Structures are given as structure tokens and as C-alpha cells.
């Protein structure tokens, strides 16, 4: 084995360094690369053996050790000096030092004086290794890639003894001859000589208690060595050694104490120890097989394989990962070679006490690695080796150049150097999600994937470019400036091509993310849209916001050309892009570019732009209204207004007129809607509309006119808290459900549970209502639910009771059955009398609520009691003819739905017809029970005339839940909706109110479902229209004739359609009336 | 280099290494090198009943060539980044003599 003192490398440096001796003749060829290229190790060893002879034949040769170029004599001097200093210090502190000194001397003599012994089987490296580690016998010392394994567990058994044993073991080898102490013969004569030596040594140390001293001196020798070589060890290093000294003192004391104890027990422990030692010996048989330099050698090989110029290129994942997770890359490596890729190799040493041995090892490594890196830079790496006389070439495999298993002919690298200006990971994933097949045909799946890959490549290229951004040029350094300029050019070029590349993918995104006019989009889809909006749009926006008109025109042209604009514009994303271009162009047209240092747009550009604009306009003409998302879907349609505003700004007078004509209905509807909403929402809506109107040149006052004109017909009335309540013609026909009752009786909870599908147990967290909450419920009949706060007296003069009670509808009074209801009854009585006076047609419903906690008996009692009291009281006021309906309700079961069903049924003028239809259906199809459900609220609109039992209602309403849930998971969503003519029809029917039912559309239109119950019954669901579904319960025997049932059902469906057709016509008539009035407004706008 | 780079980030994580002899070992990844040799700490054979002799072993060194699979903790893998890294790797000239 090739070794030298302290594991300093003897093999490599002479091969490599220039001042090496004659042997380096051959070494030059190998250089550092020997290791990298995995050249035969035997060769190396041979080489090394030669060196051994060379190195160790003469002590002076140690001086030729690579970095420690000083002569050995010097070193020895220093060591001696060092030693003397140390000894002096020692003597002043400890008492019996004479012996130690004498002992140390010989050992040093062995080390430094007697050359032949020194090199004996390389064990001296262990002394080096252990130097700094008196108490660290089980801590890893070598900087090896593998660190050190944990010490065998047996080692920890014996308190301090193992330590001494360990130390002695390491120190023995240099002393081939037993120290002159006349200690007894070897205890175990049977064992091999090194072992016995070790034991002797161990005994010796135990007697004298000095092992650490020698270590210390060696440590200092090392320190001296370092300083002699002009490589001052890091300050920490020195500090460490002094700390070490004191530490060792302490430990020595402790050791002595323990030693005394040990002596007492020695006899007892002797055989134990013997056993233990046997074991230890077995374990440590191979200790020291690898010397420090062996380990270093391997480390070098490893490192040389791993060093790289650009860690980001070769070690990308690790580098970025650590950066992202903000984990500190291992400091040990980064200190000495920031560019070193293989920074992970010492990771295991983090946080551990680092011994001095490893410090110096690190230092050595550092130098070597630096050399390796430099060499690697100087010479390109060989990938093949051609030997003289050989017929072929030998490929050299390495980590980065593994043997190729497949030979794929790589085409010329036509990597598009494109990439978005910020390549965030989420953007990538976004693109990747949507490799949809384009309708254009020319672009197939593969191409899309390819283009996505291109974008990636571009992003990566761009990232790399960014990393290599040249520093800002210093003045008068022309080449630097040139570099920067070139960099800038490249950068801009990349960013631009990236943009175009992105266009392709973006189109697909839009396509996937489209939500059409009535699109009911699955949540996942919405999420994707959201993601896209949040990640992709902002950077693009930024880019466009800085680009000159020329680029805007180009991009805009591309956008229009490559996309089906009418289609794309229906999506939020698409509109966002259009808005972006339009507004940017407008800004530039009006000279906004000057602020950014851009020249004003040229005439030609203006014309180009106008062309594009006209094209867009003509494309979108007749489609403006379809840009809006449906009302009631809960989507803020601000982006549409923004787009229209952007359109309007650039529009000619004629175009403006077209625009207004097309969207006036929406404007009107929004204003109407706004007036119904709470103040802040209303102002938001109005602001949206204003956005558009202002762009048209209509200002706020004109909008006022618009409103005034409108209000002439609507006659809004004030109800106390200043909210406007315009009643539009439709509203007159909209039945009203007034929910009243004491505070905390559960009014809002009822409303939430029934109409918002809120789980009953979540209603606990509802805030108390503090103003009248009006809500439009859109279903096959539209009605309004007014939720009144309990604490307000509506018969105050401040409230217009005509306004509140004047409409057709029902008053629901909620009484908390768990509470004391006397007060509630008073109030009910009061309410009924007043409301009756205002509107005798109002139907009064009393919900005895929260009965879920009451026992059945008590429920009935309560109901009877309440009923009794209220009828008595009403009778007192001569109002016994006022009929009140009482319901026991709870939100925790179906009773609330049933009660609501009954309430609502009374508001349906068509109810008798519907019931009749159902009766006929049941009679002719053998159906036991049929419900016509409103799918959204699970309220049943009508049922046949057979009595309703709770169970059948419950099971039917549960079925609706099941169907809705399943169709949400598996149902098709928007795509088919666009192709469905029927659907479009119904869209216009219920204009603006459709679309908030998710997949229930399917349930409604042609959905059908069948559930067989295990009691021989069948549950059958059929969709009737958008809102209604027929659920019936029939015996399975009867279902055999399901052709008949289907037919009957078809008839039923048509009949229902007829019934509601009538209603629709009425509604349309109303709409026409409204149209008339908008014409006036329009004249205002257009003229 | 990608695998090496990747495994480096897993140092300190608990992984399960399945060997080609069907032995599966769970342990904390202590270190890995470019041959994908693996060092594990606090190891435990997955099927301890089958490999009782493994119970005495606390740490181990696994030669990279005998590894069949390494089961990774999902939380420690950044797939998006991994994709990027793979792209970067693919982009590099295959000759490997980059530097």
C-alpha cells in the first residue's frame, strides 16, 4: 500500500505536480485523470509502490510530498519545538510527567527518527486519524464518502476501558517493538503478534494513564505541519486544538479516577474483559485495512467523477431542490469548492463533531479537488481511448457517459430557444395538463406535446441564460459591454419566441377551459382555469404592458388568426387576453408609450391595428351577449365589462351603436339585479356597468337618466333601511315566501338548508341575520325568499307593510318548539292580524321548528297547544276564518322539505293540473307513488293524490341526492350542452337564471335512473326538464312493462312542457313590455 | 448524474431498498454515491420474519448494482423539478464530455 505520514497522498501529487521527481515522467500521462477514467487500479498501485520506495527510502523524501514542500528536517524541527512547548505546558500542570516524556520520546523516535519502522503497514495513518479525536473514538473521522459506520455496539459496553483500548489499538502499530517499560509478558500469547502488542499497549496505558497525551502531541505536530507548509489551518482548527487540550486534561483526570476504581475490580473483570477483547479483536481484525490515504484515494476517484463546471447542468435537481427547500447545501464542500457538484458526499458528517483528522483531510481534499477541477477544465474529457496498435477504440464510460444501451440517431438539435420570462414550475404543469386534441386537425396530439416540450426547453435555456447573466459592465470595458448587450439581445429573442410558442399551447388551454355562456363547469375545471389565470396571465400581461404597438399587433393578429375567436372569447381566459391587447393598443394609440420611452406608433401601425380591430369586431358581432357568463352562477362578470369597455373605446360610432344594441339587455338586467342586492354588491355591479358605459362616452349622469327613466316604470318603494326595492314586471308574478319568527328560531337555517343545500349541522355557525335578506329562487317557478331578522318589528311605521305583505305569497312563521313559545305566539298573532289586514290572500304557515329533540308525544302536545292558543286568540279578534297551517319541522330530517313542499305547492297555480297528470300517470303505469321534484331544492312540487308517507318521500328525495352526486362525478358536463338544441331553447326561456345547478342539467333533461330496493320495490327517476324530475316508487312486477312506462312518461313529460309553455309565453310577453322601455334608453345612448 | 443528484436530496429520509435477492430493507438514507451505492442507517428488514438474521444489523452498505427498487417517501420528491431535471439531462449532449 502506498502511504506516507498522516495519510498525505504520496501517489497522486508526484504524478501531478510539476516539481515532482523523475518518476513523474510517466505520471504526467495519468495526471489526475487516472482516477476519473477508471484506469486500471493495479497500474496505479504499481506506480504507487514505486513511489513507496522512492518516498520512504529516505526520510528526506517526505519533503517531496505534494503540498508540503518543505524539507522534513524542518518539519521535525517544528515538531520538536512544538513538543517542547507542549511538554513544558504539561509539566507545569500535571505532576508525574517524567515517565510520560520518556515514553513519548521513544514513540517519536519511532515515528520520526526510525524511518523503516515508521512506514510499517501504514498504521501510522491511524495515528493521524485519531489525532484530534480523543473522545471521539466512535465519531467519524475520515472524510470518506461513506463516512464511518457506527461503532459496533459492543464497544460501548465497558465504560472507559473501551476507549483506552481503542486508542491504544490505534497507536500501537508505529511501535513495532514493545516500549521499554518492562511490562509483563503478553497476556494472550496465543493471539497474533499485533494483537498482543495492542493488549500490552492497552495495559500500559491503563497503568500510566497517558494515551491522550501522545495524541495531543501528534495533534500539535499536525498543526505545526500545517503551519510550516504555509497553509495556516483555519482559526477554528487552532481553537479546537486548545480546547482539545483542556478537554483532554479533564478527561485525563476522570480517567485516573476511574482507573483507580478499575484496579479494584480488575480481578473481577478480568475474565469478562478477556472475552470482550476477544470479541473486539475479531471485530477489529480488518480495522485499518484501508488506510487514510486509501480512503482519500477513493474519495478522489469519487470526486473526480463528480466534479463539474456547472453544477446546475449536471446536478440540477439537487441544486434546485436544496435551493427550494432552502436547505443549506453542506457547508463543508461549498467552502472549498463552490462549483463542486458532488456536495452531497459528506452530508452524513453534518452536525457531527468533526475531528481534526477530518479537518486536515478536508483541506487535502480541497486542494486535490481544486486541482482536479482545474485539470478538468484545461483538458477536455476523453470519451474514448485508442490504443496504439489496437484496431478499435475503447469507449470510456463514466457517470455522465454511461454505456449506451440504445443507439438513437439524434437529429440535429433544433431546439427552439424559447421560454417564458419566468419559468415557474406551475406554468409547466399547467401546460402539460392540457394536451387536448385541437379541432384544427393540423395540430395533432403529438405536435402539441412536442410544442409543449419546446416551451420547456426554452424555459430551461432561458433559465440557464439568466444564470449566466454577465455582470454589469464597468466603464471602459468594451468587451464586457458587448457581452451584456449580446446577452440582452439573446434574452429578448428568447422571450419573444417563447411567446409565440406559447400561443399554440394557450389555445388549447382556452379550449379546455372554456365555459360557455351557460357552462356549468366542474370544480376541477374551474380550478384549472384559476390556475391558468393566476400563473400564466400575469407574466403575459406584464410582457404586453411593456411592448410596443408593433408587437401587440403581431400578437393580437396571431391570437385572432389561430383561435376561433367567438369560441375563445366566451372563456374568461380568452377575454382576458383580448382585453389585454385592446387596452394596451389603446394606451399606445393615445401616446401612453412615451412614458415607457417608446416612440409613438407609426401611421402604418395604426392602420394595421384598425384593420385588426375591425376584424375582431366583425367576428364578435352578434355574439357580444354570449360573452357573459350566466346570471346567478355566482361569477363576477366584471371581466366581460372590462372587455366591452376596451372594445368600446376603440370603436367607431357605428360600432358603438352595434355594441350597445347587443348588450343593452344585459345592462338593464344587471341594473335590475343590482337594485335587488345589498348596497356593496349593487355598487359593484353598477361600477361594472359603468366601466362599459364610461368607455362609450356615457357618463354617470346619463346613467342616472337611464335609471330614472327606468324607475318611472318601476316605482320603487322604501322599506325602512333605505334599500331600494324596484319591482320589475316579472317580480309581480314571483310569489314571495316571507320567513318570520322570533330571533334565533331558525329562519336562516331553514333557508340555507332548503335552498342552499347547507348541511344541517353547519347551520350552527350561521351569523344572526340583521337585515332583510331577499333571495331569488330560480326553478321551474321563480319565487323570492325573504328572510327577516327576528328582532325587528315590521309593523313599525318605518316599514311599508303594503310593500312587504302586499304581494302574492306565503308567510312562514317559525316557532322554536324547544323554547318558550308564548312570546312567539303573541308575535305570530300580531303578525297574522296585521298581515291579514294588508293582504288577505296571503297564506299563513306556521313551522313548529326544532322538533327533532322532542319526543313524538311531546311534539303532538306542543302542536296542539300552539294550535289551540293561536286559534283562540284569532277567534278573539274575529279572525277565525284565517286559516293557519301547522307543520312540525326540523332541519335534521326531511320534515322541513316536506313542509316547504306543501307551502310552495300552494303557490303554484298549476298544481291541480300537475296532480291530475300524476294521477293519470300512476293509474296507467302501476306506479305506487310519484313525486315531481324540484331537483335543486328537493322540494316536491306535486304528487299524486294518494297519501304521502314520510318514508317514501325520504327515499325519493335521497335518491335525488344520489343521482346528483353521481352525475357530478360521472356526468358529462358542458360539451354536450352546446349541441343540445332543446337546451338552448330552455336557456333563452329562463334567460339569466340558468346554470347554477351543476350537473343537474343532465338529471333534468334526459336523465333516468333505476334503483331496485330489496323489498321488491323499484325507485325510478326520470328527468322532466331542467328543474324537475319525476321520482316514482313502483312494484318490480309492474316494471316489467317498462316500455309502457316509458311511453306514459313521455306523454307526461310533454304534458308538463305544455303546462309550462303557457307560463313561458306569459313571461315573454312581460319581457317584450320591458323591451319597449329600453328602446328609449337606447335612443339616448345612440343619439 | 440525475439519479445521483436525486438521491442526494433524499439523504436523511426513510427509504425502503428492495434488493435483487428479494430482501427489502427500510432505513434512513445516510449517503449515496455516483454508483448509487447506498448506505442506510437504523435499518429494518421489511419482512423480519423471513430474514431474522437482519434484526441484529443496524446499518448497512448496499452495493448499487444489487438494488432492484428504492421506495421513496413521496413527500420528499419534487416531481415538477424532477421533470425539469430530466429535461435538462436529456438536453445535454450525450457524449457526456461536457466539462
Amino acid at each position: 500500500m502506498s502511504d506516507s505520514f498522516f495519510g498525505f497522498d504520496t501517489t497522486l501529487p508526484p504524478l501531478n505536480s510539476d516539481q515532482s521527481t523523475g518518476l513523474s515522467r510517466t505520471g504526467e500521462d495519468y495526471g489526475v485523470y487516472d482516477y476519473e477514467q477508471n484506469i486500471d487500479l493495479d497500474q496505479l498501485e504499481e506506480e504507487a509502490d514505486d513511489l513507496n520506495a522512492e518516498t520512504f527510502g529516505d526520510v528526506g523524501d517526505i519533503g517531496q510530498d505534494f503540498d508540503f514542500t518543505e524539507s522534513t528536517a524542518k518539519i521535525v524541527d517544528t515538531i520538536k519545538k512544538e513538543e517542547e512547548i507542549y511538554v513544558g505546558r504539561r509539566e507545569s500542570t500535571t505532576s508525574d510527567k517524567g515517565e510520560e516524556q520518556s515514553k513519548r520520546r521513544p514513540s517519536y523516535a519511532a515515528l520520526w527518527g526510525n524511518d523503516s519502522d515508521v512506514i510499517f503497514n501504514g498504521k501510522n495513518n491511524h495515528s493521524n486519524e485519531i489525532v484530534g479525536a480523543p473522545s471521539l473514538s466512535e465519531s467519524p473521522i475520515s472524510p470518506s464518502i461513506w463516512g464511518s459506520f457506527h461503532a459496533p455496539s459492543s464497544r460501548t459496553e465497558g465504560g472507559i476501558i473501551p476507549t483506552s483500548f481503542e486508542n491504544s489499538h490505534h497507536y500501537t502499530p508505529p511501535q513495532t517493538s514493545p516500549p521499554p517499560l518492562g511490562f509483563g509478558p503478553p497476556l494472550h500469547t496465543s493471539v497474533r503478534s499485533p494483537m498482543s502488542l495492542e493488549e500490552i499497549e492497552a495495559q500500559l496505558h491503563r497503568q500510566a494513564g497517558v494515551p491522550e497525551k501522545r495524541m495531543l502531541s501528534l495533534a500539535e505536530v499536525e498543526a505545526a505541519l500545517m503551519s510550516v507548509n504555509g497553509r495556516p489551518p483555519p482559526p477554528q482548527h487552532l481553537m479546537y486544538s486548545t480546547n482539545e487540550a483542556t478537554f483532554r486534561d479533564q478527561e485525563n483526570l476522570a480517567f485516573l479516577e476511574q482507573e483507580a476504581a478499575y484496579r479494584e475490580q480488575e480481578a473481577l473483570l478480568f475474565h469478562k474483559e478477556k472475552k470482550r477483547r476477544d470479541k473486539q479483536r475479531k471485530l477489529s481484525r480488518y480495522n485499518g485495512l484501508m488506510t487514510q490515504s486509501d480512503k482519500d484515494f477513493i474519495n478522489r476517484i469519487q470526486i473526480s467523477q463528480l466534479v463539474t463546471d456547472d453544477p446546475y447542468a449536471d446536478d440540477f435537481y439537487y441544486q434546485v431542490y436544496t435551493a427550494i427547500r432552502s436547505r443549506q447545501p453542506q457547508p463543508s464542500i461549498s467552502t472549498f469548492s463552490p462549483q463542486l457538484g458532488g456536495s452531497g458526499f459528506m452530508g452524513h458528517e453534518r452536525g457531527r463533531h468533526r475531528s481534526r483528522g477530518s479537518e486536515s483531510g478536508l483541506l487535502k481534499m480541497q486542494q486535490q479537488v481544486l486541482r482536479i477541477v482545474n485539470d478538468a477544465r484545461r483538458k477536455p474529457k476523453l470519451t474514448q481511448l485508442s490504443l496504439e496498435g489496437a484496431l478499435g477504440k475503447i469507449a470510456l464510460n463514466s457517470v455522465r457517459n454511461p454505456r449506451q444501451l440504445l443507439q438513437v440517431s439524434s437529429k440535429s438539435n433544433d431546439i427552439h430557444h424559447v421560454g417564458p420570462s419566468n419559468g415557474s414550475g406551475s406554468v409547466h404543469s399547467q401546460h402539460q395538463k392540457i394536451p387536448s386534441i385541437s379541432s384544427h386537425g393540423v395540430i395533432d396530439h403529438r405536435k402539441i406535446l412536442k410544442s409543449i416540450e419546446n416551451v420547456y426547453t426554452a424555459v430551461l435555456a432561458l433559465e440557464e441564460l439568466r444564470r449566466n447573466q454577465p455582470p454589469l459592465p464597468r466603464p471602459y470595458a468594451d468587451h464586457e459591454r458587448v457581452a451584456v448587450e449580446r446577452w440582452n439581445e439573446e434574452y429578448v429573442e428568447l422571450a419573444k419566441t417563447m411567446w409565440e410558442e406559447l400561443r399554440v399551447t394557450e389555445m388549447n388551454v382556452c379550449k379546455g377551459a372554456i365555459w360557455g355562456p351557460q357552462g356549468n363547469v366542474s370544480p376541477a375545471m374551474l380550478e384549472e382555469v384559476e390556475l391558468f389565470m393566476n400563473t400564466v396571465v400575469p407574466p403575459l400581461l406584464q410582457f404586453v404592458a411593456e411592448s410596443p404597438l408593433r408587437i401587440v399587433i403581431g400578437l393580437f393578429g396571431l391570437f385572432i388568426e389561430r383561435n376561433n375567436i367567438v369560441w375563445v372569447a366566451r372563456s374568461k381566459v380568452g377575454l382576458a387576453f383580448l382585453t389585454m391587447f385592446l387596452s394596451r393598443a389603446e394606451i399606445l394609440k393615445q401616446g401612453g408609450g412615451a412614458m415607457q420611452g417608446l416612440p409613438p406608433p407609426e401611421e402604418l401601425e395604426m392602420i394595421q391595428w384598425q384593420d385588426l380591430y375591425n376584424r375582431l369586431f366583425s367576428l364578435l358581432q352578434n355574439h357580444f351577449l354570449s360573452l357573459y357568463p350566466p346570471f346567478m352562477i355566482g361569477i363576477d362578470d366584471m371581466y366581460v365589462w372590462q372587455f366591452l369597455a376596451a372594445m368600446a373605446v376603440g370603436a367607431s360610432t357605428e360600432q358603438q351603436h352595434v355594441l350597445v344594441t347587443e348588450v343593452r339587455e344585459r345592462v338593464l338586467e344587471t341594473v335590475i339585479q343590482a337594485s335587488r342586492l345589498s348596497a356593496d354588491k349593487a355598487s359593484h355591479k353598477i361600477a361594472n356597468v359603468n366601466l362599459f358605459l364610461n368607455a362609450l362616452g356615457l357618463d354617470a349622469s346619463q346613467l342616472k337618466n337611464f335609471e330614472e327613466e327606468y324607475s318611472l316604470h318601476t316605482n320603487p318603494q322604501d322599506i325602512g333601511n333605505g334599500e331600494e326595492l324596484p319591482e320589475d314586471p316579472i317580480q309581480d308574478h314571483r310569489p314571495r315566501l316571507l320567513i318570520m319568527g322570533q330571533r334565533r328560531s331558525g329562519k336562516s337555517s331553514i333557508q340555507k338548508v332548503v335552498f342552499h343545500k347547507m348541511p344541517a349541522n353547519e347551520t350552527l355557525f350561521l351569523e344572526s341575520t340583521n337585515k332583510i335578506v331577499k333571495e331569488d329562487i330560480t326553478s321551474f317557478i321563480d319565487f323570492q325568499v325573504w328572510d327577516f331578522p327576528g328582532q325587528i318589528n315590521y309593523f313599525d311605521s318605518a316599514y311599508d307593510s303594503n310593500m312587504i305583505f302586499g304581494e302574492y305569497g306565503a308567510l312562514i312563521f317559525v316557532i322554536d318548539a324547544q323554547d318558550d313559545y308564548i312570546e312567539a305566539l303573541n308575535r305570530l298573532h300580531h303578525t297574522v292580524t296585521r298581515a291579514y289586514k294588508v293582504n288577505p290572500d296571503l297564506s299563513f304557515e306556521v313551522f313548529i321548528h326544532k322538533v327533532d329533540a322532542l319526543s313524538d308525544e311531546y311534539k303532538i302536545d306542543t302542536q296542539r297547544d300552539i294550535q289551540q292558543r293561536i286559534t283562540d286568540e284569532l277567534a278573539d279578534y274575529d279572525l277565525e276564518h284565517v286559516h293557519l297551517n301547522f307543520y312540525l319541522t326540523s332541519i335534521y330530517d326531511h320534515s322541513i322539505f316536506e313542509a316547504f313542499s306543501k307551502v310552495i305547492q300552494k303557490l303554484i297555480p298549476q298544481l291541480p293540473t300537475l296532480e291530475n297528470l300524476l294521477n293519470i300517470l300512476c293509474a296507467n303505469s302501476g306506479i305506487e307513488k310519484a313525486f315531481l321534484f324540484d331537483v335543486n331544492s328537493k322540494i316536491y312540487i306535486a304528487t299524486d293524490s294518494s297519501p304521502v308517507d314520510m318514508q317514501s318521500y325520504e327515499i325519493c328525495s335521497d335518491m335525488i341526492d344520489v343521482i346528483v352526486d353521481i352525475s357530478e362525478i360521472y356526468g358529462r358536463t358542458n360539451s354536450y350542452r352546446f349541441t343540445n338544441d332543446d337546451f338552448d331553447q330552455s336557456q333563452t326561456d329562463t334567460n339569466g337564471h340558468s346554470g347554477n345547478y351543476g350537473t343537474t342539467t343532465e338529471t333534468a333533461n334526459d336523465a333516468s335512473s333505476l334503483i331496485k330496493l330489496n323489498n321488491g320495490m323499484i325507485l325510478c327517476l326520470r328527468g322532466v326538464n331542467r328543474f324537475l324530475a319525476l321520482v316514482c316508487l313502483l312494484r318490480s312486477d309492474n316494471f316489467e312493462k317498462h316500455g309502457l312506462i316509458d311511453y306514459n312518461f313521455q306523454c307526461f313529460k310533454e304534458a308538463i312542457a305544455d303546462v309550462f309553455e303557457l307560463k313561458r309565453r306569459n313571461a315573454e310577453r312581460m319581457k317584450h313590455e320591458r323591451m319597449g322601455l329600453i328602446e328609449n334608453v337606447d335612443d339616448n345612448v345612440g343619439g | 448524474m440525475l439519479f445521483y443528484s436525486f438521491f442526494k436530496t433524499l439523504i436523511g429520509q426513510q427509504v425502503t431498498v428492495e434488493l435483487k435477492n428479494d430482501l427489502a430493507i427500510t432505513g434512513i438514507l445516510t449517503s449515496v454515491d455516483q454508483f448509487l451505492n447506498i448506505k442506510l442507517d437504523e435499518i429494518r428488514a421489511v419482512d423480519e420474519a423471513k430474514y431474522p438474521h437482519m434484526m441484529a444489523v443496524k446499518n448497512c452498505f448496499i452495493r448499487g448494482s444489487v438494488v432492484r427498487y428504492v421506495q421513496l417517501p413521496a413527500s420528499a420528491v419534487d416531481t415538477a423539478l424532477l421533470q425539469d431535471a430530466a429535461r435538462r439531462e436529456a438536453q445535454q449532449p450525450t457524449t457526456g464530455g461536457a466539462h
Side-chain angles (χ1 to χ4, degrees), chain A residues 145-150 301-302 305-306 309-310 312-318 320-321 324-325 327 341-345 348 350 376 381 383 399-401 404 415 428 432 453 456-457 460 463-464 467, chain B residues 1-2 4-11 13 30-35 37-41 59-62 75-85 87-89 91-92 94-99:
Chain A
I145 252 207
W146 298 109
S148 81
F149 288 109
H150 286 318
I301 294 179
Q302 302 253 14
Q305 292 254 346
L306 298 175
D309 232 5
D310 181 7
Y312 276 97
D314 290 328
D315 201 15
F316 179 78
Y317 183 80
Y318 177 78
V320 179
Y321 187 90
I324 288 174
R325 304 254 168 149
R327 267 197 340 204
S343 48
F345 77 102
H348 53 273
R350 253 181 309 159
K381 207 167 264 181
T383 54
V399 197
R400 259 165 279 130
N401 180 31
Q404 280 191 320
I415 297 162
H428 304 172
Q432 205 156 41
E453 276 314 307
Y456 271 115
T457 325
L460 292 176
E463 262 177 14
E464 191 158 351
R467 242 188 5 256
Chain B
M1 282 300 268
L2 175 58
Y4 171 58
S5 183
F6 171 71
F7 275 111
K8 271 197 294 179
T9 65
L10 292 176
I11 284 172
Q13 306 279 349
T30 326
S31 56
V32 67
D33 71 358
Q34 77 268 37
F35 307 108
N37 299 332
I38 287 170
K39 227 183 90 178
L40 295 181
D41 212 345
N59 45 41
C60 67
F61 172 90
I62 301 168
S75 59
V77 184
D78 187 338
T79 45
L81 189 59
L82 207 51
Q83 282 181 2
D84 278 5
R87 285 201 171 77
R88 198 168 271 281
E89 186 102 337
Q91 237 176 289
Q92 277 179 4
T94 45
T95 47
H99 297 288

Side-chain angles (χ1 to χ4, degrees), chain A residues 282-544:
Chain A
K282 243 186 246 166
L283 284 173
S284 59
R285 194 155 12 140
Y286 301 112
N287 277 8
L289 257 187
M290 272 178 93
T291 62
Q292 184 56 39
S293 68
D294 290 341
K295 293 171 187 170
D296 284 350
F297 172 73
I298 288 172
N299 282 344
R300 266 198 316 277
I301 294 179
Q302 302 253 14
I303 291 173
S304 65
Q305 292 254 346
L306 298 175
V307 281
T308 163
D309 232 5
D310 181 7
Y312 276 97
D314 290 328
D315 201 15
F316 179 78
Y317 183 80
Y318 177 78
Q319 297 291 338
V320 179
Y321 187 90
T322 43
I324 288 174
R325 304 254 168 149
S326 66
R327 267 197 340 204
Q328 206 63 33
Q330 285 70 38
S332 56
I333 200 87
S334 53
T335 49
F336 68 75
S337 172
Q339 285 177 316
L340 190 68
S343 48
F345 77 102
M346 271 180 228
H348 53 273
E349 278 193 356
R350 253 181 309 159
R352 289 205 191 156
H353 197 83
R354 190 167 295 139
S355 69
R356 182 194 299 201
S358 80
E359 285 285 340
S360 64
L362 271 181
L363 272 171
K364 279 183 291 169
M365 292 279 270
Q366 178 175 347
Q367 298 148 13
Q368 289 161 2
V369 164
L370 277 177
R371 237 187 6 247
I372 291 168
V373 171
N374 288 336
D375 280 327
R377 284 214 192 116
R378 231 179 297 130
K379 303 175 196 170
K381 207 167 264 181
L382 284 176
T383 54
Q384 9 177 246
L385 182 74
S386 50
L387 294 173
E388 213 172 319
L391 288 175
K393 286 175 179 175
I394 300 167
L396 294 174
N397 302 327
S398 75
V399 197
R400 259 165 279 130
N401 180 31
R403 191 159 59 105
Q404 280 191 320
L405 294 176
L406 280 177
Q407 285 287 352
V408 184
S409 60
S410 62
K411 285 167 196 145
S412 57
N413 279 353
D414 58 339
I415 297 162
H416 292 247
H417 283 280
V418 289
S421 41
N422 75 337
S424 69
S426 46
V427 176
H428 304 172
S429 53
Q430 176 65 26
H431 290 312
Q432 205 156 41
K433 267 186 207 161
I434 307 152
S436 66
I437 295 168
S438 164
S439 60
H440 288 295
V442 256
I443 302 169
D444 63 358
H445 187 70
R446 189 179 287 246
K447 272 188 187 160
I448 289 171
L449 286 179
K450 172 85 180 146
S451 70
I452 291 171
E453 276 314 307
N454 284 343
V455 174
Y456 271 115
T457 325
V459 172
L460 292 176
L462 204 64
E463 262 177 14
E464 191 158 351
L465 199 63
R466 278 198 153 187
R467 242 188 5 256
N468 299 334
Q469 179 168 22
L472 282 175
R474 287 171 302 215
Y476 310 119
D478 269 348
H479 64 282
E480 281 184 19
R481 207 173 54 236
V482 169
V484 170
E485 272 164 16
R486 223 187 34 225
W487 186 87
N488 281 340
E489 267 170 36
E490 237 174 299
Y491 191 85
V492 169
E493 184 65 25
L494 280 182
K496 205 181 147 210
T497 29
M498 162 278 298
W499 176 263
E500 278 155 28
E501 197 66 48
L502 201 62
R503 212 112 290 269
V504 183
T505 61
E506 165 202 274
M507 183 182 67
N508 299 316
V509 172
C510 293
K511 205 144 261 150
I514 209 159
W515 62 45
Q518 270 72 32
N520 294 320
V521 195
S522 69
M525 199 71 113
L526 280 176
E527 225 165 74
E528 252 171 49
V529 173
E530 197 65 21
L531 188 66
F532 186 84
M533 289 299 280
N534 289 339
T535 53
V536 181
V537 177
L540 299 189
L541 201 62
Q542 208 180 353
F543 177 77
V544 172

Side-chain angles (χ1 to χ4, degrees), chain A residues 1044-1057:
Chain A
L1044 173 75
I1045 294 176
D1046 280 347
Y1047 178 76
N1048 285 343
F1049 175 74
Q1050 202 53 44
C1051 295
F1052 174 77
K1053 196 171 164 180
E1054 278 162 20
I1056 298 261

Side-chain angles (χ1 to χ4, degrees), chain A residues 646-851:
Chain A
M647 270 317 258
V649 169
S652 65
T653 323
E654 266 167 54
Q655 284 168 332
Q656 280 188 355
H657 195 77
V658 172
L659 209 54
V660 170
T661 324
E662 281 203 39
V663 298
R664 71 179 166 201
E665 194 176 338
R666 182 68 179 202
V667 171
L668 186 75
E669 269 178 53
T670 310
V671 172
I672 295 168
Q673 218 191 17
S675 58
R676 273 189 236 127
L677 292 167
S678 59
D680 54 331
K681 275 189 192 161
S683 64
H684 178 69
K685 290 247 181 219
I686 297 288
N688 282 348
V689 179
N690 259 340
L691 214 60
F692 169 59
L693 291 180
N694 287 349
L696 277 176
L698 287 171
D699 55 24
S701 67
Q702 267 169 300
L703 189 77
K704 263 275 186 317
N705 287 341
F706 176 91
E707 274 180 320
E708 271 166 26
E709 199 145 339
Y710 175 61
S711 58
L712 278 181
H713 300 264
T714 53
N715 187 24
Q717 295 183 28
D718 202 348
I719 42 162
N721 35 7
E723 270 180 60
E724 284 214 347
L725 184 76
E727 310 145 61
D728 60 79
I730 278 184
Q731 228 178 340
D732 285 342
H733 290 266
R734 204 173 273 187
R736 205 178 273 178
L737 290 181
L738 311 172
I739 306 180
M740 292 186 161
Q742 294 290 90
R743 53 185 293 273
R744 304 194 54 78
S745 55
K747 300 174 294 298
S748 303
S749 305
I750 291 176
Q751 194 218 356
K752 292 282 181 202
V753 169
V754 175
F755 297 110
H756 294 266
K757 290 183 181 292
M758 182 183 269
N761 43 12
E762 278 177 24
T763 58
L764 275 179
F765 308 110
L766 282 178
E767 305 262 334
S768 70
T769 316
N770 50 20
K771 64 180 181 194
I772 303 178
V773 177
K774 291 165 222 162
E775 191 161 5
D776 290 304
I777 304 297
T778 314
S779 180
F780 80 102
I781 57 161
D782 297 338
F783 55 93
Q784 257 193 329
V785 178
W786 289 27
D787 188 9
F788 287 83
Q791 55 273 26
I792 297 174
N793 179 9
Y794 294 98
F795 302 101
D796 214 308
S797 55
Y799 298 91
D800 183 349
S801 31
N802 261 331
M803 184 54 228
I804 297 172
F805 301 107
E807 301 296 330
Y808 170 65
L811 191 156
I812 296 171
F813 198 92
V814 183
I815 294 174
D816 185 351
Q818 294 179 22
D819 209 6
D820 181 23
Y821 46 75
I822 302 300
E823 201 187 327
L825 288 182
N826 285 336
R827 189 162 169 155
L828 169 62
H829 167 68
H830 193 61
T831 309
V832 170
T833 45
R834 293 294 295 270
Y836 184 75
K837 269 179 206 155
V838 176
N839 183 0
D841 292 333
L842 213 57
S843 64
F844 296 97
E845 320 286 341
V846 179
F847 283 9
I848 302 164
H849 196 47
K850 304 191 190 172
V851 292

